[in-house]
Amino acid sequence: MKKNETQGAYTSVKNRKSKKVIFSKASGASSRGGFENDKNRFRTIWGIALVILCMLIGRAFYLQVANAQFYQDKGDELITSKRTQKSYRGMITDRNNLPLAVSAPLATVSFSPHDYAREYYEIKRVKVANPDSPKLQAQMQKRLDNMDLTRLAAASNMPLAKLQKATAIDDSIDVTDADAVKVALPSGAGSHYLPLLNKVTPEIAQSVSDLEFPGVYEKNFFQRFYPQPQPNAQLLGFMGQNADDPDGGYEGRAGIERQYETELAGKDGKVLILKDAKQNSLKEIKQLEPEIAGQNVALTIDSRLQYLLYKELEKVGRSREALWSTGMIVDVQTGEVLALSTWPSFNSNNLNEMTGENQRNRAVLDVFEPGSVMKPFTVAAALDSGKYTTSSLIDTNPGSIYVKGYTIRDHDNLGSITMATLLQKSSNVASTKIALSLPPDAISNMQRQFGFGTKTPLQFPGEGRGSIVTPKEKELSRRATISYGYGLQVTLAQVAQAYSALAAGGVMHPLTLIKSDKPQPSKRIMAHEQAMSIVQMLEAVTAPGGTAVAAAIDGYRVAGKTGTSRRVNPEGGYYTDQYRNVFAGIAPASNPRLVGVVLVEDPRGQYYAGVTAAPVFHNVMKEALRLYNVPLDKPLQTK
């Protein structure tokens, strides 16, 4: 043992070296070599960690600083949304503040059987998944009790059986199985939208919305309503859906609704609302854009006269089987349009009645050859030239005149006549002789002076301009025809404006449809004496022997002029059996207050304006003078 112990304790140098070598190999490396390797690994790990840390910091900077707004907006989109607050559209009223167009607040309440069933199964699942929570069980059961379809059926007056069939609740399915629930949810037509209340007042809709019933949605909007639809249909226009509005809003598409769309519409508001996970609105967070209500637009129209005018136009249109009829009443002193209507019309509250023909505002949009209603302006050109006076005689013998290949005739041989007789008997021959005796542009210039050939200040959407042609020196036939109303195009609104200027003593008051406290600028276009002398001459037209005796009104002196012209044949020339009747009148003639113009297109049976259009003027103007308390200027006739 000692020997062995000695050998274990003491060995030769050789043996010790060998053991040292063997020990070194076993240890794997020297102490210096192990430290260097560990330091390299340490640096590598910290380098990688530092790179990752820089990437995280860079990403955080990108998300929270550089692009913070973008991700904040994305986050807001998940929990918030912007809701449009529809502005209240302004009213359109008549001159006495009676409503002609109003916006009524309405609501539509709908039910989504799919959303209801999804909510129902979700509550059932929560109950099943939490059997050990009595408080949660009670809460879920209370929500189920509130989802009783009997409550919804009673509030909405919807049959309970219909609601139960739509929701198709199956209490036998495993509500913890998502696939089974998905199959059980209602699908197909009506599964997401079942109307409960359609276009009802907000008060009626509130009885359902106050239930806070799952799957019930309310949509509020304004619907335009017209209390006096037919008489005002073409004037006021109508509303149509705006294709550029994502919310499917409506805008004015014709008439006053379109012309004053900006003023009437106002501006919709924007509200930021908070949503839950199912995209249901929880509450309003803040007002983003204020709602600006539309302005009211007051018209110069008198709804009483408007109704009366329309009924008379309808009466003559139906009795004479005319294509259409239209008319206007204008206040001479201001240029305000008191009535403007066209027959046939349509119900503005039911656009299914509207057609391309009955929606036209004929008095403003349509142009036509006016015929003899232009003769007063031929007389005006004659007086203005200085070659003629009110007592000048014009020889019309033998009742016709030959001009450049055309024969122009009167109904009778009137002989030598005055200007007053020219207007009373509506002499084409006398008008032609005046035209040929004046410079070629004399009559057309006078017509332009009275507003023909340019749009009226009404600036109505689609308003017609008409056309006035200045004939050349050698165009004798054209110079003749424009003197008695052929070869030119006008609108009835231009005729009303021109006769109003005559009645105002040669002062042009711009036509207006908008009531304003500020007087419109006017201009003198003719000497007062000359204008009033023409008005006095026009009294003979409604006196015995004139062409419009039916326009006379008992107790008032009435001036006026008829126009019976042939309708243009699209294939060339004029129809021989189709006519256009126009009458323009002024009352009372001694101190003009009102002008009325009436047009009847292609009446059957009687085709003279004195028989068709003049009676309409008589019936409407008689009531207008009474309504406005215009004093009598002529003794009443005794029977």
Side-chain angles (χ1 to χ4, degrees), residues 425-629:
K425 299 297 184 180
S426 196
S427 173
N428 293 337
V429 174
S431 299
T432 298
K433 287 197 169 186
I434 290 175
L436 297 181
S437 68
L438 299 178
D441 61 350
I443 293 178
S444 57
N445 285 345
M446 182 60 67
Q447 292 169 347
R448 289 192 184 92
Q449 197 167 310
F450 274 90
F452 295 103
T454 58
K455 293 183 179 181
T456 69
L458 296 176
Q459 296 299 309
F460 199 81
E463 181 178 354
R465 180 184 299 275
S467 62
I468 301 296
V469 179
T470 300
K472 297 178 181 178
E473 179 72 34
K474 295 182 179 180
E475 291 180 319
L476 300 182
S477 59
R478 174 168 290 184
R479 291 169 61 183
T481 55
I482 66 170
S483 70
Y484 52 86
Y486 280 87
L488 63 152
Q489 299 284 328
V490 305
T491 66
L492 194 67
Q494 290 172 346
V495 175
Q497 180 177 248
Y499 272 77
S500 296
L502 274 179
V507 176
M508 176 77 77
H509 295 292
L511 294 184
T512 179
L513 277 165
I514 305 302
K515 191 68 177 173
S516 175
D517 296 331
K518 298 179 180 179
Q520 297 295 318
S522 57
K523 65 177 180 178
R524 177 164 295 282
I525 58 175
M526 190 178 187
H528 181 271
E529 296 76 10
Q530 291 181 348
M532 294 313 297
S533 66
I534 294 175
V535 172
Q536 292 173 8
M537 294 180 203
L538 289 172
E539 286 188 63
V541 175
T542 64
T547 58
V549 178
I553 301 172
D554 191 18
Y556 293 96
R557 293 164 54 187
V558 176
K561 186 70 189 77
T562 55
T564 302
S565 57
R566 295 183 185 273
R567 299 183 71 228
V568 175
N569 188 335
E571 298 180 359
Y574 295 88
Y575 288 110
T576 59
D577 60 346
Q578 295 185 23
Y579 297 87
R580 178 180 298 108
N581 295 169
V582 182
F583 180 79
I586 302 168
S590 62
N591 184 21
R593 174 68 192 280
L594 301 174
V595 162
V597 291
V598 178
L599 187 155
V600 182
E601 187 77 1
D602 192 24
R604 302 285 92 184
Q606 295 287 343
Y607 59 85
Y608 287 112
V611 181
T612 60
V616 175
F617 170 89
H618 166 87
N619 294 336
V620 176
M621 189 60 68
K622 180 177 65 174
E623 291 301 314
L625 294 169
R626 181 184 64 82
L627 286 173
Y628 285 87
N629 296 316

Side-chain angles (χ1 to χ4, degrees), residues 16 18 81 116 179 202 352 371 471 530 563 599 611 622:
R16 285 202 300 270
S18 299
S81 66
Y116 173 87
D179 292 334
N352 291 327
Q530 291 181 348
L599 187 155
V611 181
K622 180 177 65 174

